Amino acid sequence: MGRIVAIDYGRKRTGLAVTDTLQLIANGLATVASGEVVNHLKEYSKKEPVERFIVGLPRQMNNEVSENMPYVKAFVTHLQRTIPDIPVEYYDERFTSVLAHKAMLEGGLKKKKKQEKALVDEISAVIILQSYMESKKYQNNKL
């Protein structure tokens, strides 16, 4: 079984999270400059077996895609062209930044640490990945 990599794509920075090889636990991987993320993922997938990429789908409260969607689509197109053997799925990322800030607060991080946007991006990717894994588990239990 390969790892699943979640991607919280932003115009400046992109948060990455990854599962263990048994796909039980989601962990933060890194926050990478968005212009470098595809190369980072290409190198990572050479070292580790990656089963699929999960990309945060930016939606607004009314369920419409957000203004960031054209950038996310362009990123996904570039990712699929560069690493065509690994499938890409979208997964709703609404509330992940809010949840990431809440997790940082509840985790007792110092105020300066809480303001680090890179950490928020990575935690958001972990939340996307954990939510994705839970939804798949729920779907499999329903069958």
Side-chain angles (χ1 to χ4, degrees):
M1 207 181 279
R3 297 177 187 272
I4 300 173
V5 176
I7 303 163
D8 182 30
Y9 184 82
R11 291 186 212 176
K12 293 180 183 179
R13 289 172 316 281
T14 298
L16 302 173
V18 65
T19 65
D20 59 308
T21 54
L22 296 175
Q23 299 180 4
L24 299 173
I25 300 169
N27 290 299
L29 179 62
T31 300
V32 181
S34 293
E36 299 169 14
V37 71
V38 172
N39 286 335
H40 184 86
L41 292 170
K42 185 177 178 182
E43 291 305 311
Y44 181 81
S45 64
K46 286 179 183 175
K47 293 182 260 178
E48 295 289 337
V50 176
E51 183 177 304
R52 73 184 57 251
F53 295 118
I54 305 301
V55 178
L57 178 63
R59 290 198 176 274
Q60 299 175 9
M61 291 297 293
N62 63 3
N63 211 28
E64 291 181 15
V65 293
S66 77
E67 69 279 350
N68 202 40
M69 190 60 187
Y71 301 101
V72 173
K73 272 188 172 180
F75 161 73
V76 167
T77 299
H78 180 50
L79 179 63
Q80 289 174 318
R81 285 184 182 146
T82 306
I83 313 172
D85 297 336
I86 301 175
V88 178
E89 286 182 48
Y90 287 104
Y91 192 80
D92 192 342
E93 70 172 25
R94 277 180 287 191
F95 307 114
T96 55
S97 292
V98 172
L99 292 170
H101 281 288
K102 185 176 179 184
M104 291 168 71
L105 267 173
E106 290 175 358
L109 286 178
K110 301 281 185 221
K111 192 172 186 176
K112 188 171 183 173
K113 263 289 200 210
K114 287 186 281 190
Q115 293 172 346
E116 287 185 23
K117 293 178 182 177
L119 184 56
V120 172
D121 295 335
E122 188 174 326
I123 292 171
S124 293
V126 171
I127 293 168
I128 291 168
L129 185 52
Q130 191 67 46
S131 298
Y132 171 82
M133 291 180 353
E134 288 171 10
S135 74
K136 290 299 176 193
K137 184 178 174 183
Y138 176 75
Q139 287 175 354
N140 288 341
N141 287 341
K142 253 179 115 173
L143 298 176

